[in-house]
Amino acid sequence: MTMPANGGADRRTDSVLTALSSTPVPVGNMDANGTVPVPVNSNYGLRLSPKKDHKPENYEDFQSEFSPLLFSALERHLPPNLLNAPREVKFNHMLDILRRYWNEGERRRVKQHSLYRERIMSSYQPLYRELYELNPSSFFVPSFINAFMANDDVSRNQSIRNIMSEPVPGVLTFDMLLPDFCSKMLAEVENYEKWIMETKSATIRPNTMNKFGVVLDDFGMEPMLEKLIEDFIRDISKIFFIDVGGYALDSHHGFVVEYGVDRDLELGFHVDDSEVTLNVCLGKQFAGGELYFRGVRCEKHMHTESQPEEIFEYSHVPGRAVIHRGRHRHGARPTTAGNRVNLLIWCRSAVFRELRKHMNESTTRWCGECQREKRERLDRAVAEKKEELMWNRILRLR
Ligand SMILES: O=C(O)CCC(=O)C(=O)O
Ligand SMILES: [Fe+2]
């Protein structure tokens, strides 16, 4: 879908809203040509981190369309109550998961993508190897690290709340990255792009709406980003975004976007294919590029009007992060001078998406329009009741 030049930033949002790479769960994202997917690491029914000291069984004697080795590898991810179950029970559980999520087409796409990543990682030489392993003291400003230090949940939740500004409900901003980390990351991305040019490698762009930018997970940063989510983002999401599965983020899509002259100019109005999105500005110097927000919406209310209190504009500052629900409608205004580069992590929860399918909700707690309709229904009911009571009183007085 094409975006209007103003990014659809007015109050009426009618048909100008796009879901960035939004596809059914589990999802993959297409490149600009819509051909190659970003892989999915959905782990519904499985634990995210493997139980390393568990010795998996051999499944050579079981027949299925999947390699027996896959079952052995997957076994360490089984939930604790199944780890020591009979071999056949474990096999059937894993087969069920694999069949539900990996149909033939998906298997082929994931295979293609993993070959793509293997090709990159076997040949690309990183500029700063230290960026590929999470090291809080050289990545983050002290205020950010300190907020996560407390041992007990109550104090940690409070210290995390203390570093947050929430200029409009559901959009939180905080200082996060050190200038040195930002400049190294910018140089690393430049280095990777230079390598792409020199080797004439095919590139998958971050999503359908960006012609520039790169996927960090593709050239070796996936484990670092996963640790960042596990150690920091999940704690934030548990506090502020529990209603969209913030307690169970289990996969991500990490990338940088680039705006300015000779790059993308702006980003149209959209929602992300994520439960929670972290967006941090890396620099450099730029004018414009503000993010505009227009309220959170469920699928049914995606194109409804924004209320005045939902309208908010945010100016990016290098090192500072914005975190919001993926369904919080937003876009980026044109970057009118210089270059703006932002790091984004679309954090997803396959568990949450799966649960929602079975919930059959008529209203969602996090959708501004569902809540507005609910308030309206309540107001109407109260007004009707008041009128009924009033008439009862009048009739009694007669
Ligand atoms: O340019 C920005 O800061 C916003 C990027 C964004 O919303 C996205 O890539 O999903
Ligand atoms: Fe976005």
Side-chain angles (χ1 to χ4, degrees):
M1 190 185 293
T2 49
M3 297 290 112
N6 71 353
D10 13 53
R11 279 191 61 198
R12 275 210 71 75
T13 55
D14 286 316
S15 58
V16 295
L17 191 71
T18 291
L20 276 196
S21 300
S22 163
T23 39
V25 181
V27 287
N29 304 291
M30 297 297 191
D31 68 342
N33 304 316
T35 47
V36 194
V38 170
V40 170
N41 43 4
S42 150
N43 32 34
Y44 176 62
L46 299 169
R47 54 205 285 165
L48 187 61
S49 315
K51 181 143 176 52
K52 292 210 180 83
D53 55 358
H54 175 79
K55 192 171 173 322
E57 317 235 25
N58 185 310
Y59 292 93
E60 299 282 345
D61 53 330
F62 283 95
Q63 292 295 313
S64 84
E65 65 273 42
F66 302 101
S67 151
L69 289 176
L70 186 56
F71 290 90
S72 300
L74 209 56
E75 188 180 323
R76 286 203 172 104
H77 290 266
L78 285 176
N81 61 329
L82 272 180
L83 266 186
N84 297 313
R87 210 161 58 101
E88 199 173 338
V89 173
K90 291 191 276 197
F91 173 80
N92 285 329
H93 182 80
M94 291 188 280
L95 186 61
D96 186 42
I97 290 171
L98 290 169
R99 284 195 175 144
R100 276 161 74 192
Y101 286 113
W102 293 53
N103 63 35
E104 187 57 39
E106 271 160 15
R107 272 205 297 282
R108 210 174 320 116
R109 283 201 301 271
V110 169
K111 177 110 195 345
Q112 265 182 344
H113 196 99
S114 80
L115 287 174
Y116 167 80
R117 277 191 184 173
E118 267 169 39
R119 259 196 319 272
I120 296 173
M121 286 197 264
S122 64
S123 131
Y124 174 64
Q125 291 301 315
L127 185 62
Y128 293 110
R129 288 199 179 269
E130 63 267 36
L131 296 178
Y132 292 73
E133 211 170 299
L134 189 77
N135 182 359
S137 61
S138 60
F139 283 27
F140 307 132
V141 295
S143 60
F144 182 74
I145 300 176
N146 293 340
F148 295 82
M149 292 297 235
N151 288 325
D152 66 288
D153 284 357
V154 177
S155 328
R156 192 167 52 251
N157 288 357
Q158 191 52 53
S159 52
I160 292 172
R161 282 180 189 280
N162 291 346
I163 60 163
M164 299 286 169
S165 299
E166 191 170 9
V168 69
V171 178
L172 298 129
T173 75
F174 53 98
D175 289 328
M176 183 177 180
L177 299 176
L178 286 168
D180 181 59
F181 173 86
C182 292
S183 31
K184 282 185 176 151
M185 193 58 131
L186 288 169
E188 186 69 46
V189 168
E190 256 174 50
N191 189 54
Y192 176 58
E193 285 177 329
K194 198 165 129 243
W195 175 85
I196 290 172
M197 295 279 278
E198 282 169 6
T199 55
K200 298 191 173 61
S201 300
T203 317
I204 299 175
R205 295 299 174 191
N207 59 58
T208 42
M209 288 168 77
N210 288 99
K211 288 195 207 64
F212 294 87
V214 293
V215 178
L216 299 171
D217 298 315
D218 283 345
F219 61 98
M221 292 207 183
E222 187 181 26
M224 181 279 277
L225 295 178
E226 188 152 326
K227 186 110 177 72
L228 167 62
I229 295 172
E230 212 170 296
D231 293 356
F232 297 94
I233 308 308
R234 208 177 290 152
D235 276 350
I236 300 175
S237 303
K238 271 197 290 206
I239 304 174
F240 298 102
F241 306 119
I242 193 154
D243 53 359
V244 291
Y247 51 89
L249 303 177
D250 50 28
S251 69
H252 74 264
H253 176 46
F255 56 97
V256 295
V257 286
E258 299 172 39
Y259 299 90
V261 186
D262 300 334
R263 293 281 186 267
D264 287 315
L265 186 65
E266 64 190 333
L267 189 67
F269 196 34
H270 66 278
V271 292
D272 299 335
D273 180 10
S274 70
E275 271 58 68
V276 174
T277 293
L278 175 82
N279 179 351
V280 204
C281 185
L282 297 172
K284 305 169 184 176
Q285 290 195 329
F286 56 89
E290 297 83 3
L291 275 181
Y292 54 87
F293 288 93
R294 296 293 184 267
V296 188
R297 291 292 185 275
C298 63
E299 291 82 351
K300 191 171 87 190
H301 294 127
M302 179 121 145
H303 302 290
T304 57
E305 252 180 59
S306 326
Q307 299 305 311
E309 65 275 14
E310 293 178 313
I311 296 177
F312 172 64
E313 196 124 336
Y314 171 78
S315 299
H316 282 296
V317 176
R320 199 162 168 84
V322 188
I323 192 165
H324 57 83
R325 288 177 186 82
R327 307 274 330 174
H328 207 132
R329 302 177 301 178
H330 61 284
R333 299 215 180 274
T335 295
T336 50
N339 270 111
R340 176 169 76 82
V341 183
N342 278 52
L343 185 160
L344 282 113
I345 313 179
W346 286 357
C347 306
R348 295 168 177 151
S349 171
V351 176
F352 173 73
R353 292 181 187 201
E354 188 66 18
L355 287 175
R356 273 202 80 204
K357 280 194 224 160
H358 301 289
M359 279 183 350
N360 204 6
E361 303 158 306
S362 58
T363 60
T364 52
R365 264 192 301 159
W366 41 269
C367 167
E369 188 62 16
C370 282
Q371 290 310 307
R372 202 188 59 76
E373 286 182 354
K374 198 167 152 188
R375 276 195 306 274
E376 245 179 39
R377 279 197 301 274
L378 258 174
D379 286 350
R380 257 200 316 273
V382 169
E384 277 165 21
K385 196 74 204 164
K386 269 188 183 162
E387 194 168 317
E388 189 188 314
L389 291 173
M390 188 187 76
W391 277 110
N392 283 347
R393 228 179 11 240
I394 292 171
L395 291 173
R396 265 205 311 274
L397 285 176
R398 278 183 169 182

